[in-house]
Amino acid sequence: MENIIENANRLYFLNEGQRKSIEQKAMAHKRYSNIVFDIISANDKELVVQVAQHNHLSENYATADRLKQIGKEVFAQFLYGRKLKVGAKPYDPAPGDVVTTDWIKVKMAQHAFKSVDLEKFFGIDKSTLSKYLSGDRELSRGVKSMFFYFFAYIELGGKVNV
């Protein structure tokens, strides 16, 4: 089984079976919600765990309180008198994550831009832009950000020469 919990070696007080039990629980959260765990510190008095959620296709994101609860559910069984401290880092989407091909088309229509205009602004060749707009080429996070901030600039009154 791959190392599911970052710094799992800090769980020195667990035997192999207990470690596997925790890793199985953590793997389920990783698989179904892209929630990950990091052991910040562990000693005879306390266990400090960071629970974070990353981008996930379901777009079903947990609150900080729910992430803390998940951390407790995963680790509470094997504390052996230690105090459990759980920090939470909820998913924080990048502004460009709202960008889809449909979003771009709507913005183009709102601002009366044609494909040729975007080709000039971005220095993208016609075939690449066509693939983005048709959905034949995936919009990477960088490309999404480019479109997002371009239209944000325009909507804030920025001027571009057509």
Side-chain angles (χ1 to χ4, degrees):
M1 183 179 283
E2 65 180 283
N3 187 12
I4 302 306
I5 301 170
E6 192 72 29
N7 298 309
N9 61 317
R10 293 180 178 161
L11 299 173
Y12 63 90
F13 51 89
L14 299 180
N15 65 37
E16 191 62 30
Q18 294 165 331
R19 188 180 308 260
K20 282 188 179 187
S21 175
I22 286 177
E23 286 178 350
Q24 287 173 344
K25 292 175 185 178
M27 176 58 94
H29 288 291
K30 170 82 171 146
R31 182 178 298 127
Y32 297 113
S33 302
N34 205 11
I35 294 173
V36 296
F37 303 86
D38 185 3
I39 307 302
I40 304 302
S41 67
N43 58 43
D44 292 339
K45 294 183 181 182
E46 70 180 12
L47 173 62
V48 181
V49 178
Q50 176 77 40
V51 183
Q53 187 169 27
H54 300 293
N55 191 18
H56 194 262
L57 292 175
S58 73
E59 296 184 356
N60 186 13
Y61 298 112
T63 64
D65 287 341
R66 177 64 184 131
L67 291 174
K68 288 178 183 179
Q69 182 182 3
I70 289 169
K72 290 174 184 174
E73 290 168 3
V74 171
F75 292 95
Q77 182 180 358
F78 300 110
L79 292 175
Y80 303 110
R82 290 169 182 80
K83 183 175 180 178
L84 178 62
K85 293 183 180 178
V86 181
K89 188 175 177 186
Y91 175 66
D92 186 18
D97 286 350
V98 300
V99 176
T100 63
T101 55
D102 290 336
W103 184 93
I104 295 168
K105 291 174 186 175
V106 167
K107 293 295 185 181
M108 287 174 66
Q110 286 174 349
H111 299 286
F113 287 132
K114 299 190 180 344
S115 294
V116 69
D117 300 325
L118 296 183
E119 290 169 28
K120 284 194 281 184
F121 298 144
F122 299 133
I124 297 175
D125 63 81
K126 185 178 183 176
S127 64
T128 300
L129 184 59
S130 176
K131 287 178 183 178
Y132 284 142
L133 296 177
S134 69
D136 290 340
R137 186 169 184 175
E138 185 178 343
L139 297 167
S140 69
R141 189 166 234 185
V143 170
K144 287 180 178 187
S145 294
M146 174 184 70
F147 280 106
F148 179 83
Y149 286 109
F150 172 75
F151 284 110
Y153 172 76
I154 297 300
E155 291 170 1
L156 288 171
K159 304 283 187 220
V160 292
N161 295 326
V162 182

